[in-house]
Amino acid sequence: MKTYSEVFSGLRSQKRAAMIPFFVIGDPDFDVSLAVVETAIDAGADVLELGIPFSDPIADGPTIQRADIRAMNAGMNVGRALEFIRKVKAYRDIPIGLLMYYNLVSRYGASRFFSDFHQAGVNSVLVADLSIDDADEIVAPAASAGLDTVFMVTPNTAADRIGLIASRTTGFIYTVSVLGVTGSRESLSDAVEGLVGRLKQLTDVPVCVGFGISKPEHAAAVAEAGADGVIIGSKIVSLIENNLNDEEKMLADISTFLTEVKAAIGNAAHPRG
Amino acid sequence: MKYKGRFGDYGGFYVPEVLIPALEELEEAFYRFHEDEGFVAELAQLFRDYAGRPSPLYHAKRFSEHVGFKVYLKREDLLHGGAHKVNNTLGQGLLARHMGKTRLIAETGAGQHGLATAMIGALFGMQTKIFMGVTDVERQSVNVHKMRLCGAEVIGVEGGTGTLKDAINDALRYWTAHVGDTFYLFGTAGGPHPYPVIVKHFQSCIGTEARRQCLDQIGRLPDMVVACVGGGSNAIGIFSGFMDDRDVRLVGVEAGGEGLSTGRHAATLVAGQVGILHGAKVYLLQDEHGQVCDTESISAGLDYPGVGPEHCWLKDTGRAEYAAADDEDVLDAFELLTRTEGILPALESSHALAYICSLKGKLGPEQVVVVNLSGRGDKDVSIVESHRPVQQ
């Protein structure tokens, strides 16, 4: 199974940041969602960030909330998400970061949850509503199942907490570029560059940036700020939503957009270059 | 955070990282001000002159005759705004002002907390936004209008079933993006730490007063204290005064909706399983996959699939008991109090009364039960009318 370190160290030697698209598993349904993810892989995704839909996603804006509802209405649940991951891994051995809310883990049983998803091919977990303060509840069971644990750093995270988060995070650090929930934004936050720089001084763990990245030039700017990866969520999810009645166009739009993003990242002047 | 905010294993602060600094700031401010002499004096004056505290403890004699034991009502319905909610909004509003915040946001179900927040927004001259599910906006239109009259912006929340849970989701999301100047005035004794501690603190005046009034007026403590539980703020407020009186039974009454067997209810403590919602580990109505269930209740204020963490702990330790009252029994109790005492109880509080009615024949004539009449029922008249048209 391909690891984060293989992917990120390979990209570092090429002086390039990873393109990490995010999808809600099962949006709008199992089969189309799988086709979407395969399209993203073909368009050059280096890592996948996949979310299990939840009834009360408090960290997500309206676009991903609606994706969650579509996926749940089409029958997605934790058990079927396992099946989905297996199918993705059968298509391509690509690292997968899993994103979910804590109640889904808690209900399934944390140890069983982590070991089942590791076996299905997941590399890391990020629990959206579990902060570093409660890391003990998941780090050990995730590690013993073979999973990395990803935590978030936000523009308002205090310096001493950044140190703590950097020291306890494995896989990669998920850096949130704006104050707020997920969702496309017109311009990129000025905070990104400083935040990435500070993290880079503190840790060798790859630093990936997400929230609000909706244009190829945003992705390029994040790469130029020194990030190891660029996570793009709501924008791609909106390409699904805008083409619910035309699967062919949906896949084409996603492919076109990610190809542009990939090129923009590739052309970005990476600071280590 | 300085404290873990746990009641046994319940509670905590399960929130996205971006909210941690705001909760830390709130915790620090609460512990700095809550026993500060100036803060306490200012709040005491507002309680007395603005809210109308202390609220009376009233011996409902004709209602008592009907059930066969002594029923005393803690008249929180007589407070300004018509419910106990003003205790908490005055306390948190004052805290917000001391913290230098200029904007208030709040969630609301029945509109009572929204109204109590809108009142305080007007009182303190703060810009106020109230998040309210669209279903609740429709069924509690009078309160929506009152909030707007106070100058608050009411934001209808479309997500989920358009009820309290969805309003909390959107208020949390809004707060995430505006943590700098905005104070989230949380309405119930739930949510992430430090809210359960803060809300209990500001609602504990109910229990403190009620205990003293029992000793003054009856000459002894009650046998039982009963309160309705949605998130559980009025219940924890009155329970807090009797927590150490081990002979006083504490009973919380949840929304049984159309009946527990139908699955259409909001009886979280009675029928839920432990999970994590809105920042806390609590009993939760959820399906086998961990998705949070839709709830059903005649009273918007109890229509919530979670509950405050301290109630979860009180249930497990046995210090408090929890029951559910169905919509039909709630309407019966509403009618009974109205007919026997001329007091219109809120449908939320009518759940506590319905439980009292179910004790008919089970308690002796000298036994004393205190009910927290947490709110008045004016807001519910049209709902009651639609279920039980008055026969002339």
Side-chain angles (χ1 to χ4, degrees):
Chain A
M1 189 168 105
K2 202 159 209 174
T3 63
Y4 284 137
S5 58
E6 282 168 356
V7 168
F8 286 113
S9 65
L11 288 170
R12 273 179 184 178
S13 69
Q14 297 170 38
K15 302 181 176 60
R16 199 165 64 75
M19 178 170 79
I20 311 176
F22 167 87
F23 300 97
V24 172
I25 298 171
D27 166 33
D29 62 41
F30 192 103
D31 292 338
V32 176
S33 183
L34 190 61
V36 163
V37 169
E38 290 172 359
T39 299
I41 292 170
D42 292 342
D46 298 294
V47 171
L48 293 172
E49 188 74 7
L50 299 177
I52 307 177
F54 183 52
S55 53
D56 296 84
I58 57 169
D60 287 299
T63 304
I64 290 175
Q65 289 172 46
R66 289 193 297 268
D68 280 0
I69 291 167
R70 283 194 297 272
M72 285 192 293
N73 286 344
M76 184 47 64
N77 56 41
V78 174
R80 297 206 72 205
L82 279 167
E83 192 186 330
F84 188 91
I85 303 271
R86 283 189 210 103
K87 295 213 158 153
V88 173
K89 294 296 277 194
Y91 183 77
R92 187 76 53 82
D93 185 13
I94 180 171
I96 295 175
L98 193 67
L99 203 151
M100 82 297 301
Y101 288 82
Y102 197 25
N103 197 51
L104 298 178
V105 180
S106 160
R107 186 77 174 130
Y108 195 87
S111 296
R112 187 173 144 241
F113 186 100
F114 295 138
S115 97
D116 284 2
F117 276 96
H118 177 258
Q119 278 170 23
V122 161
N123 296 61
S124 69
V125 283
L126 194 177
V127 183
D129 53 351
L130 186 121
S131 71
I132 200 73
D133 307 272
D134 292 308
D136 289 343
E137 296 187 25
I138 63 159
V139 168
S144 72
L147 289 173
D148 287 328
T149 36
V150 172
F151 290 94
M152 287 188 174
V153 168
T154 56
N156 59 347
T157 306
D160 56 336
R161 276 182 78 82
I162 291 185
L164 181 67
I165 292 167
S167 73
R168 299 211 65 179
T169 300
T170 54
F172 63 87
I173 294 175
Y174 194 127
T175 308
V176 174
S177 60
V178 290
L179 283 182
V181 294
T182 57
S184 297
R185 286 164 177 87
E186 272 305 302
S187 59
L188 198 63
S189 159
D190 299 336
V192 173
E193 196 169 339
L195 203 52
V196 171
R198 266 195 289 165
L199 284 165
K200 285 280 161 193
Q201 288 178 349
L202 286 166
T203 180
D204 287 330
V205 177
V207 174
C208 300
V209 176
F211 281 37
I213 297 169
S214 64
K215 296 175 180 173
E217 54 264 40
H218 295 166
V222 167
E224 280 173 16
D228 296 281
V230 184
I231 304 164
I232 307 161
S234 298
K235 173 66 188 179
I236 315 180
V237 172
S238 72
L239 295 177
I240 296 175
E241 182 167 47
N242 295 342
N243 294 295
L244 288 173
N245 298 316
D246 188 346
E247 188 185 332
E248 204 171 309
K249 182 163 182 298
M250 179 194 295
L251 300 180
D253 282 3
I254 289 167
S255 180
T256 303
F257 176 71
L258 287 177
T259 303
E260 285 170 17
V261 170
K262 183 90 176 178
I265 292 173
N267 293 331
H270 205 275
R272 278 184 300 276
Chain B
M1 302 283 261
K2 194 170 173 199
Y3 301 104
K4 297 270 180 206
R6 296 283 180 167
F7 303 88
D9 191 37
Y10 298 107
F13 44 94
Y14 295 98
V15 294
E17 175 65 25
V18 67
L19 286 179
I20 296 284
L23 293 175
E24 280 178 339
E25 183 190 8
L26 178 63
E27 185 195 49
E28 189 277 325
F30 173 71
Y31 285 108
R32 181 150 46 98
F33 289 117
H34 81 300
E35 286 175 347
D36 172 81
E37 210 173 297
F39 184 92
V40 170
E42 198 177 352
L43 184 59
Q45 188 176 9
L46 287 166
F47 270 5
R48 191 190 65 206
D49 301 340
Y50 185 81
R53 300 212 74 88
S55 67
L57 183 72
Y58 167 70
H59 185 190
K61 293 196 179 107
R62 293 196 67 221
F63 185 85
S64 298
E65 272 171 33
H66 184 89
V67 293
F69 48 88
K70 290 180 177 166
V71 178
Y72 284 76
L73 306 176
K74 179 61 175 161
R75 298 292 308 275
E76 295 294 295
D77 61 315
L78 292 177
L79 297 179
H80 176 47
H84 72 291
K85 292 292 186 187
V86 70
N87 305 325
N88 175 48
T89 58
L90 274 174
Q92 286 195 48
L94 200 57
L95 188 59
R97 209 171 63 168
H98 279 258
M99 290 168 73
K101 302 288 180 185
T102 54
R103 292 159 195 261
L104 297 177
I105 58 167
E107 82 294 341
T108 197
Q112 289 302 118
H113 175 60
L115 175 58
T117 303
M119 284 160 16
I120 271 53
L123 175 68
F124 291 159
M126 292 185 187
Q127 204 184 84
T128 305
K129 282 185 204 292
I130 306 295
F131 294 83
M132 189 171 188
V134 288
T135 307
D136 291 338
V137 167
E138 195 177 326
R139 61 177 163 172
Q140 297 290 349
S141 59
V142 174
N143 272 342
V144 172
H145 192 59
K146 286 181 185 171
M147 286 182 247
R148 289 180 173 146
L149 286 172
C150 289
E153 182 187 352
V154 179
I155 298 167
V157 177
E158 300 270 356
T161 47
T163 59
L164 182 55
K165 158 176 100 89
D166 313 298
I168 295 176
N169 288 342
D170 259 25
L172 283 169
R173 290 178 186 122
Y174 181 88
W175 198 31
T176 302
H178 301 86
V179 288
D181 61 356
T182 300
F183 186 101
Y184 184 4
L185 210 167
F186 202 72
T188 194
H193 175 70
Y195 284 111
V197 177
I198 292 175
V199 175
K200 180 188 181 183
H201 177 76
F202 291 129
Q203 292 294 2
S204 64
C205 54
I206 307 173
T208 306
E209 281 175 16
R211 188 177 190 280
R212 194 176 58 234
Q213 287 165 325
C214 284
L215 294 175
D216 289 350
Q217 294 173 223
I218 317 168
R220 70 173 181 92
L221 292 174
D223 297 288
M224 190 188 289
V225 174
V226 183
C228 65
V229 176
S233 71
N234 89 81
I236 208 70
I238 196 161
F239 288 179
S240 70
F242 301 92
M243 211 64 90
D244 298 330
D245 303 314
R246 308 305 289 191
D247 293 335
V248 178
R249 279 175 68 190
L250 306 175
V251 181
V253 186
E254 298 191 300
E258 295 174 23
L260 293 183
S261 60
T262 66
R264 288 190 292 278
H265 59 80
T268 307
L269 288 160
V270 172
Q273 285 133 337
V274 178
I276 294 101
L277 180 68
H278 295 147
K281 184 178 281 186
V282 291
Y283 280 93
L284 190 59
L285 293 171
Q286 55 181 318
D287 71 12
E288 75 263 35
H289 303 295
Q291 305 293 357
V292 181
C293 295
D294 294 339
T295 52
E296 186 71 44
S297 169
I298 194 169
S299 74
L302 304 184
D303 208 348
Y304 180 59
V307 68
E310 190 168 2
H311 286 295
C312 302
W313 182 71
L314 290 173
K315 174 191 156 91
D316 284 9
T317 59
R319 179 61 192 98
E321 308 152 52
Y322 296 88
D326 298 356
D327 289 347
E328 287 303 314
D329 296 335
V330 168
L331 287 165
D332 288 344
F334 175 95
E335 288 177 345
L336 183 64
L337 190 74
T338 310
R339 292 286 175 104
T340 55
E341 300 286 346
I343 296 171
L344 270 75
L347 284 173
E348 289 77 16
S349 320
S350 299
H351 284 70
L353 296 168
Y355 178 78
I356 299 289
C357 293
S358 77
L359 296 175
K360 190 173 181 174
K362 294 180 187 158
L363 297 183
E366 290 308 310
Q367 288 192 284
V368 173
V369 178
V370 171
V371 182
N372 197 17
L373 200 68
S374 55
R376 69 178 183 218
D378 308 43
K379 68 188 175 59
D380 297 318
V381 167
S382 64
I383 296 171
V384 172
E385 171 68 17
S386 71
H387 285 80
R388 303 268 178 97
V390 178
Q391 308 290 325
Q392 286 294 344

